[in-house]
Amino acid sequence: MVKYLGILLIVIGAVVLLVSYFKEWVDYNWVQFTGLALIIVGLVVHILLQKYKK
């Protein structure tokens, strides 16, 4: 499961952004920042896991 942690974080971030759009929460910056932060952290985790893969 750790192998897919980065991809999982990216997908959760995208889902947060989609839900915020359909629930009309686009005016709340903390929701948008949470989705963006999850996507960025997911990208970094995925790259690091691929780089230091055993």
Side-chain angles (χ1 to χ4, degrees), residues 3-23:
K3 180 177 166 183
Y4 299 110
L5 181 62
I7 301 297
L8 183 63
L9 288 172
I10 294 170
V11 170
I12 291 172
V15 168
V16 166
L17 291 176
L18 283 172
V19 168
S20 72
Y21 176 75
F22 287 115
K23 290 283 193 173

Side-chain angles (χ1 to χ4, degrees), residues 14-38:
V15 168
V16 166
L17 291 176
L18 283 172
V19 168
S20 72
Y21 176 75
F22 287 115
K23 290 283 193 173
E24 297 178 0
W25 294 340
V26 292
D27 294 331
Y28 299 106
N29 289 333
W30 66 271
V31 177
Q32 304 300 313
F33 180 73
T34 301
L36 177 65
L38 284 170

Side-chain angles (χ1 to χ4, degrees), residues 31-46:
V31 177
Q32 304 300 313
F33 180 73
T34 301
L36 177 65
L38 284 170
I39 291 172
I40 291 172
V41 169
L43 284 169
V44 171
V45 168
H46 180 70

